Amino acid sequence: MRMEWSIEKKRGNLRPVLHYHVILERHEENLALPMVRIASTIPEPPSSWQAFCYPGQFERAGLPPTGCYDLETPNHKRKSGGAQLRLPWRPDNRYPEVEESFAALRAAFEAELASAHHSAPMHLRGELELRPALREAIAPAVVAERLLRMAG
């Protein structure tokens, strides 16, 4: 699995946007891994649908975040995925929880990968025949029927 992320903020009152993308490797797809989702510590700002935050409004007025975002990996069918998440405006442009949250997502994914990998492959094949005692018991009737068919 490869995770890539970037945070982009334009000058001014615009909120930064976190872009992330997760791509599964072929051997991970072949293990039929499910989607892994974690609750991150990345705060979702109030009115996160809004691309900007004016001074004195929302997080710049001291309002707490509405919650934290979930981060996820794709399942084996989707193979890749990601999202764009709007971050709260901060004067210092520092978001240490982003790297921490992606490290937590990686740990959760690695646990799922290890669990799937420990499910060993197998191939089982069996075969049974009639017991010799039963064969001996029905053999005279089978031979008699074949002889009658040939004669008749």
Side-chain angles (χ1 to χ4, degrees), residues 19-40:
H19 303 268
Y20 80 92
H21 194 70
V22 181
I23 302 166
L24 297 182
E25 295 180 21
R26 182 157 309 207
H27 71 277
E28 294 162 343
E29 294 170 25
N30 292 337
L31 290 173
L33 293 172
M35 176 179 66
V36 175
R37 177 179 287 149
I38 65 157
S40 76

Side-chain angles (χ1 to χ4, degrees), residues 138-148:
I138 65 170
V142 172
V143 170
E145 183 183 326
R146 286 183 185 167
L147 286 175
L148 287 175

Side-chain angles (χ1 to χ4, degrees), residues 3-152:
M3 286 189 285
E4 301 170 346
W5 73 89
S6 65
I7 300 174
E8 183 178 328
K9 181 194 178 298
K10 296 180 180 173
R11 185 175 301 280
N13 295 312
L14 294 164
R15 287 176 166 153
V17 178
L18 166 66
H19 303 268
Y20 80 92
H21 194 70
V22 181
I23 302 166
L24 297 182
E25 295 180 21
R26 182 157 309 207
H27 71 277
E28 294 162 343
E29 294 170 25
N30 292 337
L31 290 173
L33 293 172
M35 176 179 66
V36 175
R37 177 179 287 149
I38 65 157
S40 76
T41 57
I42 302 170
E44 180 179 356
S47 298
S48 60
W49 55 268
Q50 192 169 305
F52 57 89
C53 181
Y54 291 138
Q57 290 186 339
F58 306 118
E59 64 266 25
R60 293 176 81 177
L63 286 178
T66 58
C68 290
Y69 289 111
D70 286 346
L71 298 178
E72 63 186 33
T73 65
N75 65 22
H76 76 286
K77 294 278 192 185
R78 278 192 11 225
K79 302 175 186 170
S80 71
Q84 295 182 19
L85 309 173
R86 197 156 283 137
L87 301 177
W89 189 96
R90 290 184 180 161
D92 62 0
N93 288 331
R94 293 187 61 236
Y95 299 89
E97 58 276 325
V98 170
E99 188 165 349
E100 293 166 4
S101 293
F102 280 109
L105 179 61
R106 179 182 62 192
F109 180 81
E110 287 173 344
E112 191 66 44
L113 179 63
S115 174
H117 183 73
H118 284 107
S119 178
M122 62 152 315
H123 178 78
L124 178 65
R125 185 163 191 250
E127 186 175 309
L128 294 173
E129 292 184 358
L130 290 177
R131 285 178 257 160
L134 183 59
R135 280 185 187 209
E136 290 174 11
I138 65 170
V142 172
V143 170
E145 183 183 326
R146 286 183 185 167
L147 286 175
L148 287 175
R149 218 177 311 140
M150 287 177 22

